[in-house]
Amino acid sequence: MNNNNSGNKAPSAHALRQQRTLPYARPANASNIARQSPLLQSAGSQSRQVLVPQANMQVETIPVNDLVQLARSAFSQKDFVLALQFLTRALAVAPKDINLLDSRAASYEKLGQLDKALDDAKAMIRTFPQNPKGYLRAGKTLRLQQNIRAATKLYVAGVERCTKGSKDFETLERMAAEMTAKLEELIKRETRVLDPMDRLPFELIMAIFGSLTFTERVRCLTISKKWMTYLGSVRHFWFSIDLAKRVPTAAQLPAHAMFLPTQPDQEANNKVTNKTVLQLVKYAPPRALWLGCAQQITSGLLSQLGRVKRAASLETFSLRTNSKIYEQEFSQFWSLTPRLRVLDLHGCFGMMDGAVVSVIERCPNLEELDISECRITEACVMKNSTVPLPKMKKLTIGRWETAFSKEGIDAMVVRFPNLVTLDIRTMRPKGIEALEGLSKLTQLKHLYTDSIETSNNEATIWVVQRWVEGIPHLESLQMPACKGVSDETIQLIAAGQGEPGSDRRGWSSSLRMLDLSSSPYLTCQSLSFLTTHPLPQLHTLILNKCGRVFEQGLCQAISSCGSELVRLECAGYMSVTDKVFHAIRDHCPKIEMVNLSSCGKVTGLGLKALVIARGRGLERVCVDNCSVVYSDAVEWARSFLGDPSRVSYHFNRTHR
């Protein structure tokens, strides 16, 4: 009896804590143990009330194997709280048993306590890093938490660390492969771009596409067939085809460039071909066709535009520096464009006298014409010169290799009597006397010339006097590098007598831009004359490299004409100091652009004074080749203005 009793005695608590590997009883005997154990019956009534089991702090008297069997029985009856209690009591005795940790993690999963299940799985991995069970349990828990990326990473790490050869390892490999494929598919779905055409309302799509530039709109054609179909169906998007690399339009230009002659694009646009243009004009007959310096365009384009009936509605056509279209093709094309209003053919060698005569005769609505640097002579405007084109407002004409006589220029004036802008910077007239007839252009407001030859000073004075008498409201006058410009020229511009019987004094009330750069006979006396006869509306003043002008005269001109001055260029004066900067600061409240390049005595102090006074209203300051302006002042000014491009500071190689 005693022996039997001693044999049935429960093991001590110390022996249970030392146990590492515990054989589990078979599930078939679990029900018998549950029926025989009063503990399972008493604990069952409390299982619904206990959510977080606590380990028994007293010495466990029930063997671990029995606790495991009780936990299995409770788990099979879906009483996961009771199973959790038994497993926690068993782990208090054997805390490093991987099977107990796995079973308790499964119970936590059933109860929805995924964080605690993950803690047990991590404990399995820490204790047994080469056993696949911990990775399988942790991966399953992470999948239940919808953390696909972490689960995949854990499976892959388990495959690399665990010992091969077991069924659990094979399962781990299979799960790693499946989850990797699933993660790749998830990434593809997440990175797949949603088509806004399927999501946004029609009105918003119209607004977005309407705000794009033409180049951006063309790029949108390559996104998908759906985008191409939609964009092609909106006809007004294709009324203006702009493939030129042009400067911004007048509305987009800064204020300081308002009264200067336009600077057209000069960059080669070799990507534009006949095929490019024909693909774009198929959506709608274009009203404007800007091709820029498209040197790959051939004469076949003009004939094909007529063949597909895409030239009749053309109002604007621009093709520059092209040598592959000849006079015959041009002349035939103008008969297909009766609505043409703007024509820009700068530098097109095929544009000869016959083509110019043809376009003037066949396009009566022409308002702007640029045929500068074409192979033309004065004969193009002398033929049928008695038939005027009253709608012509802007003309850019001339070729430096061909001289224009007074007869040719007078014929041009008769042919285009209502010109508002005349740009003859590329024209070489036979002396300034040949330009005397421009005085008959009574509506002229902008006159741009360059390097006009003159026989003597008296001829220039006489011609300018005739201009002042005949042109009442000139706003822009550009006469750089004209040797005949002298002090009398300034006096005529500011205070010359107008038409007989008129009270008008020169162009003092209308002139907004004056460029007399590189005038060798202009002196400070003429600039001091402006103190008594100012130009109050002057917006732009350009006096670069006038050989006999000094700092005093520049300061007097700035103080007398600076109230409305926005742009000032006084480059190339080695004697100019910071006094010019101070005069600009004190008398030019609206100044935006200042050019004092190659002024040898201006310093960084003057630059700082101007920048502080004008602040961010100052758009651009040029101090190139100013040897006394140091880099620290330039960097400070750039930082203060918030844009490094606003301060130009460069030195050429020949500068000392």
Side-chain angles (χ1 to χ4, degrees):
M1 293 291 294
N2 294 335
N3 293 338
N4 293 337
N5 292 336
S6 62
N8 296 332
K9 186 177 180 181
S12 64
H14 176 71
L16 290 173
R17 291 191 185 94
Q18 296 299 323
Q19 190 172 356
R20 291 291 181 266
T21 305
L22 301 174
Y24 289 173
R26 297 181 180 178
N29 297 330
S31 59
N32 297 331
I33 295 175
R35 285 195 297 268
Q36 296 172 2
S37 174
L39 181 62
L40 180 59
Q41 297 175 0
S42 62
S45 61
Q46 302 175 0
S47 61
R48 295 338 184 255
Q49 301 175 0
V50 181
L51 295 179
V52 181
Q54 300 292 333
N56 192 357
M57 301 303 295
Q58 300 179 359
V59 177
E60 185 59 59
T61 58
I62 302 177
V64 174
N65 287 345
D66 292 347
L67 290 173
V68 171
Q69 295 300 334
L70 293 171
R72 286 182 181 276
S73 177
F75 197 93
S76 63
Q77 297 176 14
K78 297 185 180 180
D79 194 346
F80 305 116
V81 174
L82 185 59
L84 199 58
Q85 292 180 358
F86 288 133
L87 291 169
T88 302
R89 291 170 61 181
L91 281 168
V93 179
K96 295 184 179 181
D97 191 289
I98 189 171
N99 295 316
L100 292 177
L101 289 170
D102 188 36
S103 299
R104 190 170 71 169
S107 299
Y108 277 130
E109 288 178 2
K110 294 296 185 180
L111 293 172
Q113 301 179 26
L114 299 179
D115 291 337
K116 293 184 178 181
L118 187 59
D119 290 339
D120 279 351
K122 290 180 178 179
M124 295 165 62
I125 295 174
R126 285 194 302 269
T127 308
F128 304 98
Q130 295 182 345
N131 195 317
K133 283 187 177 182
Y135 299 98
L136 289 171
R137 179 58 62 186
K140 182 180 179 181
T141 305
L142 289 170
R143 284 189 289 119
L144 292 174
Q145 291 179 336
Q146 303 299 321
N147 195 343
I148 304 300
R149 285 179 172 81
T152 305
K153 184 178 180 180
L154 196 63
Y155 283 137
V156 173
V159 171
E160 295 175 353
R161 297 176 185 175
C162 294
T163 305
K164 300 179 181 180
S166 63
K167 292 184 178 181
D168 288 339
F169 183 82
E170 294 176 359
T171 304
L172 185 63
E173 278 188 321
R174 178 172 53 81
M175 292 303 301
E178 291 179 1
M179 293 303 297
T180 301
K182 188 174 182 179
L183 180 60
E184 291 176 354
E185 181 63 26
L186 177 64
I187 293 174
K188 288 181 180 179
R189 285 202 306 269
E190 290 179 349
T191 57
R192 188 177 299 136
V193 179
L194 295 177
D195 191 346
M197 302 283 287
D198 298 331
R199 303 279 180 153
L200 300 179
F202 176 78
E203 294 79 7
L204 183 56
I205 294 174
M206 286 283 291
I208 293 173
F209 283 133
S211 64
L212 299 179
T213 64
F214 183 80
T215 304
E216 293 170 341
R217 211 172 288 154
V218 171
R219 291 174 182 169
C220 289
L221 291 173
T222 63
I223 299 298
S224 65
K225 291 183 178 180
K226 183 185 296 184
W227 286 43
M228 181 183 294
T229 303
Y230 173 79
L231 284 170
S233 64
V234 186
R235 291 172 60 86
H236 69 267
F237 283 168
W238 309 103
F239 286 159
S240 178
I241 297 179
D242 189 353
L243 300 175
K245 300 178 180 178
R246 297 182 295 132
V247 295
T249 61
Q252 298 172 321
L253 285 174
H256 60 77
M258 185 179 301
F259 293 95
L260 293 175
T262 56
Q263 298 295 330
D265 60 305
Q266 300 293 339
E267 185 179 353
N269 200 7
N270 293 326
K271 292 184 178 180
V272 177
T273 62
N274 293 7
K275 183 178 179 181
T276 306
V277 179
L278 293 173
Q279 285 178 341
L280 295 175
V281 300
K282 68 181 181 181
Y283 299 115
R287 298 174 184 173
L289 192 57
W290 299 90
L291 303 181
C293 300
Q295 300 175 0
Q296 302 301 319
I297 296 294
T298 64
S299 57
L301 175 65
L302 302 184
S303 59
Q304 288 174 351
L305 286 175
R307 192 178 303 118
V308 298
K309 299 181 180 180
R310 287 295 187 262
S313 60
L314 203 60
E315 299 178 0
T316 301
F317 183 67
S318 173
L319 177 63
R320 304 174 63 83
T321 63
N322 183 279
S323 59
K324 297 182 179 181
I325 304 179
Y326 301 101
E327 182 177 15
Q328 182 178 359
E329 288 82 4
F330 274 130
S331 300
Q332 293 175 352
F333 184 65
W334 307 139
S335 61
L336 305 175
T337 58
R339 299 183 181 179
L340 198 63
R341 295 187 302 106
V342 179
L343 180 61
D344 179 6
L345 295 174
H346 168 85
C348 291
F349 294 156
M351 194 67 178
M352 301 175 67
D353 292 341
V356 175
V357 172
S358 176
V359 71
I360 291 175
E361 292 178 348
R362 298 179 181 181
C363 301
N365 297 317
L366 206 59
E367 298 177 5
E368 297 183 16
L369 177 62
D370 185 349
I371 49 175
S372 55
E373 292 300 334
C374 296
R375 296 172 62 187
I376 60 172
T377 65
E378 60 186 17
C380 66
V381 292
M382 295 181 69
K383 186 176 181 180
N384 299 328
S385 61
T386 56
V387 181
L389 264 72
K391 294 186 178 181
M392 182 71 74
K393 301 298 181 183
K394 181 178 179 180
L395 177 64
T396 305
I397 187 173
R399 187 175 183 228
W400 192 247
E401 290 80 1
T402 305
F404 278 62
S405 65
K406 187 177 188 306
E407 292 76 12
I409 295 175
D410 289 344
M412 178 188 70
V413 172
V414 173
R415 198 70 186 267
F416 312 116
N418 298 327
L419 283 177
V420 175
T421 300
L422 178 60
D423 188 345
I424 53 175
R425 287 176 296 165
T426 59
M427 177 187 287
R428 185 166 63 91
K430 294 180 179 179
I432 195 170
E433 299 89 340
L435 300 178
E436 181 268 334
L438 299 183
S439 60
K440 298 179 181 179
L441 298 173
T442 57
Q443 299 186 30
L444 193 65
K445 292 186 178 181
H446 309 285
L447 176 59
Y448 306 115
T449 68
D450 191 7
S451 303
I452 301 176
E453 298 177 358
T454 180
S455 56
N456 52 62
N457 185 29
E458 288 75 11
T460 303
I461 295 174
W462 177 72
V463 171
V464 174
Q465 176 65 37
R466 294 281 291 143
W467 290 353
V468 172
E469 292 175 357
I471 306 173
H473 303 296
L474 194 69
E475 296 182 4
S476 304
L477 177 61
Q478 186 177 44
M479 292 181 65
C482 181
K483 294 181 180 180
V485 172
S486 61
D487 294 344
E488 289 81 357
T489 307
I490 292 285
Q491 295 175 12
L492 287 171
I493 291 173
Q497 187 66 40
E499 297 177 353
S502 172
D503 295 333
R504 182 171 59 86
R505 309 295 297 179
W507 293 312
S508 60
S509 61
S510 63
L511 199 64
R512 305 296 304 276
M513 192 278 283
L514 180 61
D515 182 0
L516 299 177
S517 299
S518 303
S519 299
Y521 301 112
L522 199 65
T523 69
C524 292
Q525 182 180 356
S526 61
L527 299 182
S528 62
F529 180 78
L530 294 176
T531 58
T532 56
H533 299 80
L535 301 172
Q537 302 298 322
L538 201 61
H539 174 281
T540 300
L541 178 61
I542 304 177
L543 296 172
N544 296 325
K545 298 181 181 180
C546 296
R548 301 185 183 184
V549 173
F550 301 101
E551 182 179 66
Q552 181 182 0
L554 292 175
C555 291
Q556 290 175 339
I558 293 170
S559 61
S560 59
C561 304
S563 60
E564 297 292 326
L565 209 60
V566 175
R567 183 187 185 104
L568 176 64
E569 296 190 28
C570 301
Y573 298 97
M574 295 304 296
S575 61
V576 165
T577 66
D578 288 343
K579 289 183 180 180
V580 174
F581 268 134
H582 296 158
I584 298 171
R585 177 197 62 186
D586 298 336
H587 301 286
C588 303
K590 298 182 180 180
I591 197 73
E592 292 184 8
M593 194 279 180
V594 177
N595 182 7
L596 293 180
S597 302
S598 301
C599 292
K601 295 184 179 181
V602 297
T603 69
L605 295 176
L607 175 62
K608 288 184 177 180
L610 177 62
V611 170
I612 292 174
R614 285 292 293 133
R616 298 201 174 186
L618 200 62
E619 293 291 335
R620 187 167 177 80
V621 182
C622 297
V623 286
D624 300 335
N625 298 325
C626 294
S627 57
V628 193
V629 178
Y630 298 115
S631 58
D632 55 345
V634 173
E635 293 302 324
W636 178 89
R638 288 172 174 173
S639 176
F640 189 90
L641 296 175
D643 186 358
S645 65
R646 291 192 177 189
V647 182
S648 178
Y649 182 66
H650 303 286
F651 288 89
N652 58 36
R653 295 182 179 179
T654 60
H655 181 74
R656 294 283 187 261

